[in-house]
Amino acid sequence: RDQHLRQRELLRMKTVAASFKRSISGLSRPFRGFAKDRKGAGAVEFAIIVPLLLMGYLGAFEVSVGFGVARKVAHASNTIADVLAQQKDVTKATLDGMKGVVKAALSPYEVGCYTLKMTGIKVTGPGTGVVTWSRDQSGATPYAAGTPATLPKELTTVGTFLVRSELVVPHKLMLMAPDISSTLKEINISKTYYYQQRTGTEILCKDCTS
């Protein structure tokens, strides 16, 4: 009789276990279907990846434009110093004409407000000199004649005459997004070049002081 009762109890436990297993299986069936459903995975992946790709593309574009502007600024400043160093004498009109060089060298980029300083310097010692004339893009005199000028240390030959060109061009960030660029700061791209006079001992600007 005891054995019969144990068999009945074992059968009952098996029945309860099977019923519990069926219940758990029924509850987990929707979740298994959700895990296998891939219909929305592509949209989620697209939403995650696209902003990253867009940021990378805009960043690469901005860096490329920045380097392009920097090369053109360097070319403009270098050309101005080179052209003036080949002159025996210069005038205000000659110096004012260098604005056309800036515009041509920076094309096709739009030239807005920029700073251009052209200076004639007499070397008086290692890394030092005296300003003889200067003029900027607006016709003003950025450095008074007779004031000292600091030069690169490698320019040490006393008595030589140098032409210095200083060009600063503001560059706006995020050119592809004008609405965003208005909230971002500008960066100044500047280049300075020195050229020694090609012929003679000094380049005069007789009407620069008038």
mmCIF file of all heavy atoms in Angstrom, residues 1 6 35 46 77 84 93 105 134 136 144 165 170 178 192:
data_model
loop_
_atom_site.group_PDB
_atom_site.id
_atom_site.type_symbol
_atom_site.label_atom_id
_atom_site.label_comp_id
_atom_site.label_asym_id
_atom_site.label_seq_id
_atom_site.Cartn_x
_atom_site.Cartn_y
_atom_site.Cartn_z
ATOM 1 N N ARG A 1 0.817 -1.204 0.000
ATOM 2 C CA ARG A 1 0.000 0.000 0.000
ATOM 3 C C ARG A 1 0.854 1.258 0.000
ATOM 4 O O ARG A 1 0.551 2.237 -0.691
ATOM 5 C CB ARG A 1 -0.917 -0.007 1.233
ATOM 6 C CG ARG A 1 -1.845 1.182 1.275
ATOM 7 C CD ARG A 1 -2.741 1.086 2.477
ATOM 8 N NE ARG A 1 -3.602 2.250 2.542
ATOM 9 C CZ ARG A 1 -4.489 2.454 3.506
ATOM 10 N NH1 ARG A 1 -4.621 1.546 4.515
ATOM 11 N NH2 ARG A 1 -5.268 3.525 3.513
ATOM 12 N N ARG A 6 3.250 6.017 -2.934
ATOM 13 C CA ARG A 6 4.426 6.719 -3.473
ATOM 14 C C ARG A 6 4.324 6.873 -4.975
ATOM 15 O O ARG A 6 4.702 7.911 -5.533
ATOM 16 C CB ARG A 6 5.694 5.959 -3.082
ATOM 17 C CG ARG A 6 6.088 6.141 -1.621
ATOM 18 C CD ARG A 6 7.539 5.695 -1.415
ATOM 19 N NE ARG A 6 7.700 4.285 -1.690
ATOM 20 C CZ ARG A 6 7.559 3.301 -0.795
ATOM 21 N NH1 ARG A 6 7.210 3.602 0.463
ATOM 22 N NH2 ARG A 6 7.740 2.036 -1.118
ATOM 23 N N ALA A 35 12.321 38.336 -30.120
ATOM 24 C CA ALA A 35 13.772 38.230 -30.317
ATOM 25 C C ALA A 35 14.118 37.847 -31.744
ATOM 26 O O ALA A 35 15.160 38.254 -32.273
ATOM 27 C CB ALA A 35 14.351 37.218 -29.334
ATOM 28 N N PHE A 46 20.294 52.264 -38.718
ATOM 29 C CA PHE A 46 20.416 53.451 -39.573
ATOM 30 C C PHE A 46 20.379 54.728 -38.741
ATOM 31 O O PHE A 46 21.165 55.663 -38.956
ATOM 32 C CB PHE A 46 19.273 53.447 -40.587
ATOM 33 C CG PHE A 46 19.297 54.606 -41.540
ATOM 34 C CD1 PHE A 46 20.143 54.607 -42.642
ATOM 35 C CD2 PHE A 46 18.477 55.707 -41.331
ATOM 36 C CE1 PHE A 46 20.164 55.678 -43.515
ATOM 37 C CE2 PHE A 46 18.501 56.781 -42.204
ATOM 38 C CZ PHE A 46 19.344 56.764 -43.296
ATOM 39 N N SER A 77 50.249 86.024 -49.304
ATOM 40 C CA SER A 77 51.255 86.756 -48.528
ATOM 41 C C SER A 77 52.641 86.615 -49.153
ATOM 42 O O SER A 77 53.406 87.590 -49.236
ATOM 43 C CB SER A 77 51.269 86.233 -47.088
ATOM 44 O OG SER A 77 52.194 86.946 -46.299
ATOM 45 N N LEU A 84 56.932 92.991 -54.120
ATOM 46 C CA LEU A 84 57.465 94.252 -53.610
ATOM 47 C C LEU A 84 58.987 94.219 -53.487
ATOM 48 O O LEU A 84 59.646 95.252 -53.671
ATOM 49 C CB LEU A 84 56.838 94.574 -52.249
ATOM 50 C CG LEU A 84 55.330 94.855 -52.263
ATOM 51 C CD1 LEU A 84 54.837 95.122 -50.850
ATOM 52 C CD2 LEU A 84 55.014 96.046 -53.175
ATOM 53 N N ALA A 93 50.154 103.875 -54.422
ATOM 54 C CA ALA A 93 49.331 103.174 -55.410
ATOM 55 C C ALA A 93 49.809 101.736 -55.594
ATOM 56 O O ALA A 93 48.997 100.810 -55.742
ATOM 57 C CB ALA A 93 49.366 103.925 -56.733
ATOM 58 N N ALA A 105 44.375 85.681 -55.307
ATOM 59 C CA ALA A 105 44.979 84.481 -54.713
ATOM 60 C C ALA A 105 43.968 83.678 -53.910
ATOM 61 O O ALA A 105 44.064 82.440 -53.850
ATOM 62 C CB ALA A 105 46.157 84.878 -53.827
ATOM 63 N N SER A 134 55.376 101.691 -44.039
ATOM 64 C CA SER A 134 54.388 100.616 -43.871
ATOM 65 C C SER A 134 53.026 101.098 -44.353
ATOM 66 O O SER A 134 52.747 102.302 -44.375
ATOM 67 C CB SER A 134 54.308 100.169 -42.404
ATOM 68 O OG SER A 134 53.725 101.177 -41.594
ATOM 69 N N ASP A 136 48.691 99.461 -44.744
ATOM 70 C CA ASP A 136 47.777 98.333 -44.628
ATOM 71 C C ASP A 136 46.710 98.386 -45.714
ATOM 72 O O ASP A 136 46.755 99.258 -46.600
ATOM 73 C CB ASP A 136 47.147 98.260 -43.231
ATOM 74 C CG ASP A 136 46.281 99.485 -42.917
ATOM 75 O OD1 ASP A 136 45.909 100.219 -43.858
ATOM 76 O OD2 ASP A 136 45.965 99.689 -41.731
ATOM 77 N N ALA A 144 54.866 103.069 -37.457
ATOM 78 C CA ALA A 144 55.449 104.376 -37.747
ATOM 79 C C ALA A 144 56.899 104.227 -38.196
ATOM 80 O O ALA A 144 57.630 103.345 -37.726
ATOM 81 C CB ALA A 144 55.378 105.262 -36.503
ATOM 82 N N SER A 165 55.432 90.965 -45.361
ATOM 83 C CA SER A 165 54.005 90.912 -45.685
ATOM 84 C C SER A 165 53.297 90.101 -44.606
ATOM 85 O O SER A 165 53.644 88.945 -44.363
ATOM 86 C CB SER A 165 53.794 90.265 -47.055
ATOM 87 O OG SER A 165 52.414 90.063 -47.313
ATOM 88 N N PRO A 170 40.082 85.997 -41.672
ATOM 89 C CA PRO A 170 39.162 85.246 -40.811
ATOM 90 C C PRO A 170 38.448 84.157 -41.601
ATOM 91 O O PRO A 170 38.025 84.380 -42.737
ATOM 92 C CB PRO A 170 38.183 86.317 -40.317
ATOM 93 C CG PRO A 170 38.224 87.380 -41.361
ATOM 94 C CD PRO A 170 39.610 87.367 -41.935
ATOM 95 N N PRO A 178 25.245 77.217 -42.928
ATOM 96 C CA PRO A 178 25.265 78.648 -42.582
ATOM 97 C C PRO A 178 24.520 78.970 -41.301
ATOM 98 O O PRO A 178 24.913 79.845 -40.545
ATOM 99 C CB PRO A 178 24.598 79.301 -43.799
ATOM 100 C CG PRO A 178 24.750 78.318 -44.906
ATOM 101 C CD PRO A 178 24.697 76.971 -44.262
ATOM 102 N N THR A 192 52.972 85.216 -42.529
ATOM 103 C CA THR A 192 53.925 86.317 -42.616
ATOM 104 C C THR A 192 55.144 85.862 -43.404
ATOM 105 O O THR A 192 55.685 84.775 -43.143
ATOM 106 C CB THR A 192 54.364 86.780 -41.218
ATOM 107 O OG1 THR A 192 53.217 87.235 -40.492
ATOM 108 C CG2 THR A 192 55.378 87.918 -41.316
#
